[in-house]
């Protein structure tokens, strides 16, 4: 009887140990997947950095159908950004496109020889070049709103050179090279996000809107509300204001407003104005060194790294639920928002196609180069094996270059 009980206890103990091992293994795999799983992300600054050889980027869709034709020169974006020289990255931050998160990545999450100095309690970081006390980054979190709150393309291109000349007068001897970058977002989501932000009290009324050397008059840019802000406004009120700068904001902030008389709506007919703004925004977007899409965080990270030859320490995080995502609107309202943002809808469709084609082109190019390297290494290995009378203990005996080329060609 005692033997049976002892044997029973032994079986129970073995089963318990086995269950503990299984449970422990499951927990370990869950933790491992959380850090390396392709569907999850550690993107916000403060997460753990993944290994350098870990491929975190999505595989290009082989069935993707191109909508627009772009020559190879528009797809190639491998710049020789010289941080020790006079090159400057200029970040055009459009409201509610995820620019705040991306801006923090630039100052906190890039692997640099001399990291940006970001001190607690300070809104700006010091981002100096490795070889001198001069900034390489023009953005909200490095230089502040030096050209005005959320300055657009028209303002930045006319303002940035002068601001940096005043900051670093010693650099006047050598002309700088400016690399403009920006982020775009799905127009409906961006519009809803801006409405919610305004509803909470945001105004951006300190924005300058400088164009052709002056700010718009109250008649050219009337306010949508009376008082200090527009807090508590309904979505219907937000959509009903004809002067709302949220309408087609992305096109307006990327276009050269000088072409259409700035904010003077009577300068040219409305239809021609819209077409000029859209074509200008497309042209400036193509000419930028880099642009990303809020909806594709990993691809945005990949293209930025390959464009500037800079690496982020931690991968970007894809937020699938945002404040705009929590807004429930019916189909009629969505259609109304799309109509109000028709130019933005066309620009985003164009930008998304260019973005996807650039990603596909880069990924395919990298894989082709990797296959070539693998093939060359394999041929070299076979050539070494085919050398007659090779003695591994005599390192001084090295075959000539002509002989090696002959062997490789033979294989």
């Amino acid at each position: 009887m005692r033997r049976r009980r002892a044997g029973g206890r032994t079986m129970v103990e073995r089963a318990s140990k086995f269950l503990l091992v299984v449970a422990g293994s499951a927990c370990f795999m869950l933790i491992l997947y959380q850090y390396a799983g392709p569907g999850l992300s550690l993107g916000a600054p403060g997460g753990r950095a993944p290994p350098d050889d870990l491929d975190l980027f999505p595989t290009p869709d082989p069935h993707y159908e191109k909508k627009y034709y772009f020559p190879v020169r528009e797809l190639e974006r491998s710049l020789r950004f010289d941080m020790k020289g006079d090159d400057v990255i200029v970040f055009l931050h459009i409201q509610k496109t995820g620019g705040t998160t991306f801006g923090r990545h630039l100052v906190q999450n890039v692997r640099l020889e001399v990291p940006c100095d970001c001190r607690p309690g300070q809104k700006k970081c010091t981002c100096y070049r490795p070889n001198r006390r001069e900034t390489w980054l023009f953005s909200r979190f490095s230089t502040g709103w030096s050209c005005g709150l959320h300055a657009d393309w028209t303002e930045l291109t006319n303002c940035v050179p002068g601001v940096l000349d005043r900051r670093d007068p010693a650099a006047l001897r050598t002309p700088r090279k400016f690399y403009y970058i920006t982020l775009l977002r799905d127009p409906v989501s961006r519009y809803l996000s801006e409405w919610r932000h305004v509803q909470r009290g945001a105004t951006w009324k300190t924005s300058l809107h400088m164009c052709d050397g002056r700010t718009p008059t109250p008649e050219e840019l009337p306010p949508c509300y009376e008082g200090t802000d527009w807090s508590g406004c309904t979505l219907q009120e937000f959509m009903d204001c004809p002067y709302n700068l949220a309408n087609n904001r992305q096109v307006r902030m990327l276009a050269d407003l000088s072409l259409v008389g700035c904010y003077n709506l009577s300068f040219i007919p409305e239809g021609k104005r819209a077409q000029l703004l859209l074509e200008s925004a497309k042209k400036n977007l193509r000419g930028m060194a880099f642009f990303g899409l809020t909806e594709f965080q990993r691809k945005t990270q990949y293209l930025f790294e390959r464009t500037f030859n800079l690496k982020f320490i931690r991968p970007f995080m894809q937020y699938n639920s945002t404040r705009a995502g929590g807004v429930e609107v019916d189909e009629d309202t969505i259609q109304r928002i799309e109509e109000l943002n028709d130019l933005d809808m066309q620009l985003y469709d164009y930008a998304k196609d260019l973005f996807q084609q650039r990603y596909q082109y880069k990924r395919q190019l990298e894989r082709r180069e990797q296959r070539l390297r693998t093939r060359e290494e394999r041929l070299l290995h076979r050539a070494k094996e085919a050398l007659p009378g090779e003695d591994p203990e005599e390192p001084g005996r090295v075959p000539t270059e002509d002989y090696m080329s002959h062997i490789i060609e033979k294989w």
Side-chain angles (χ1 to χ4, degrees):
M1 182 68 69
R2 288 179 182 176
R3 288 181 180 176
R4 287 182 181 177
R5 288 179 180 174
R9 282 198 300 269
T10 303
M11 291 296 293
V12 170
E13 289 173 358
R14 288 178 179 174
S16 300
K17 290 179 180 178
F18 176 74
L19 288 174
L20 283 172
V21 170
V22 171
S25 300
C27 290
F28 174 77
M29 292 302 294
L30 274 173
I31 294 171
L32 182 64
Y33 180 77
Q34 188 174 6
Y35 279 91
L40 298 174
S41 167
L42 326 165
R48 185 176 300 175
D52 290 336
D53 58 349
L54 183 62
D55 189 356
L56 299 168
F57 304 107
T59 302
D61 182 7
H63 305 293
Y64 179 76
E65 295 184 5
K66 302 174 184 178
K67 294 184 178 181
Y68 302 90
Y69 166 76
F70 296 104
V72 173
R73 66 175 182 275
E74 298 289 357
L75 304 181
E76 287 180 332
R77 277 297 185 273
S78 298
L79 310 174
R80 294 184 178 180
F81 178 69
D82 186 6
M83 189 173 291
K84 293 183 179 180
D86 297 284
D87 296 351
V88 180
I89 293 177
V90 182
F91 179 32
L92 194 165
H93 182 174
I94 301 173
Q95 289 95 316
K96 314 313 296 178
T97 58
T100 298
T101 300
F102 185 77
R104 289 199 178 103
H105 278 302
L106 292 177
V107 297
Q108 297 178 358
N109 192 28
V110 180
R111 186 177 286 115
L112 299 170
E113 184 179 338
V114 178
C116 295
D117 184 11
C118 302
R119 301 184 181 183
Q122 293 186 356
K123 294 183 178 181
K124 294 187 293 183
C125 304
T126 303
C127 297
Y128 284 146
R129 303 182 189 276
N131 54 339
R132 61 186 186 274
R133 295 171 66 84
E134 181 183 304
T135 187
W136 58 269
L137 174 66
F138 192 100
S139 73
R140 167 189 178 181
F141 291 117
S142 58
T143 54
W145 301 113
S146 301
C147 290
L149 180 63
H150 286 285
D152 56 31
W153 188 92
T154 305
E155 293 175 292
L156 287 175
T157 53
N158 287 280
C159 167
V160 171
V163 169
L164 292 183
D165 286 346
R166 290 190 293 273
R167 286 171 59 98
D168 307 307
L172 290 172
R173 295 187 300 270
T174 307
R176 296 184 183 86
K177 191 169 186 178
F178 299 105
Y179 294 98
Y180 285 84
I181 65 174
T182 194
L183 289 184
L184 295 180
R185 185 180 181 184
D186 167 71
V188 174
S189 298
R190 199 213 65 78
Y191 189 85
L192 289 171
S193 183
E194 180 165 341
W195 163 61
R196 292 294 298 271
H197 199 55
V198 169
Q199 192 182 49
R200 294 190 297 271
T203 62
W204 299 300
K205 58 185 176 183
T206 58
S207 295
L208 300 176
H209 305 299
M210 287 288 294
C211 180
D212 284 351
R214 68 176 183 88
T215 58
T217 65
E219 292 75 26
E220 291 174 333
L221 196 58
C224 286
Y225 57 90
E226 296 180 357
T228 57
D229 58 42
W230 206 4
S231 57
C233 73
T234 65
L235 180 56
Q236 189 62 49
E237 292 171 337
F238 193 74
M239 293 189 296
D240 287 344
C241 178
Y243 315 109
N244 194 343
L245 291 178
N247 300 341
N248 293 312
R249 179 180 288 280
Q250 297 180 100
V251 165
R252 178 179 59 79
M253 292 188 67
L254 288 175
D256 182 359
L257 299 181
S258 300
L259 300 174
V260 295
C262 300
Y263 293 88
N264 181 4
L265 300 183
S266 62
F267 184 77
I268 55 174
E270 182 181 355
K272 186 176 181 181
R273 175 185 175 88
Q275 191 62 33
L276 283 174
L277 285 174
L278 179 59
E279 292 306 317
S280 177
K282 288 180 178 179
K283 176 184 175 183
N284 292 337
L285 188 71
R286 289 195 310 270
M288 284 185 164
F290 160 83
F291 73 88
L293 299 182
T294 309
E295 289 75 20
F296 301 95
Q297 290 292 313
R298 289 284 175 82
K299 292 181 179 180
T300 294
Q301 175 188 348
Y302 174 88
L303 286 176
F304 181 91
E305 290 181 344
R306 271 59 180 183
T307 299
F308 290 100
N309 197 26
L310 294 172
K311 290 288 185 179
F312 288 101
I313 301 170
R314 294 165 293 275
F316 286 14
M317 179 179 288
Q318 183 69 59
Y319 292 101
N320 293 321
S321 59
T322 63
R323 290 189 177 94
V327 178
E328 295 184 2
V329 291
D330 55 37
E331 290 298 324
D332 291 339
T333 303
I334 292 176
Q335 184 176 350
R336 174 64 176 151
I337 294 174
E338 290 177 348
E339 291 171 355
L340 290 169
N341 293 273
D342 178 59
L343 297 181
D344 271 12
M345 296 293 293
Q346 294 182 62
L347 175 67
Y348 187 78
D349 183 67
Y350 180 85
K352 185 177 178 181
D353 191 55
L354 175 56
F355 179 87
Q356 297 285 18
Q357 287 195 44
R358 282 181 178 174
Y359 183 78
Q360 270 195 330
Y361 177 82
K362 271 292 184 186
R363 290 288 276 178
Q364 291 171 356
L365 195 64
E366 278 194 354
R367 292 187 176 184
R368 190 180 305 124
E369 291 172 352
Q370 180 59 43
R371 286 196 297 268
L372 286 174
R373 284 194 299 268
T374 303
R375 182 170 176 270
E376 288 174 0
E377 290 172 0
R378 190 178 295 120
L379 288 172
L380 186 62
H381 178 71
R382 290 177 179 175
K384 288 181 178 179
E385 289 181 342
L387 291 176
E390 179 69 17
D391 189 351
E393 296 182 0
E394 296 184 22
R397 293 176 57 190
V398 180
T400 64
E401 184 179 348
D402 292 339
Y403 185 74
M404 286 294 296
S405 301
H406 173 71
I407 294 295
I408 292 175
E409 288 175 3
K410 180 181 177 182
W411 279 103

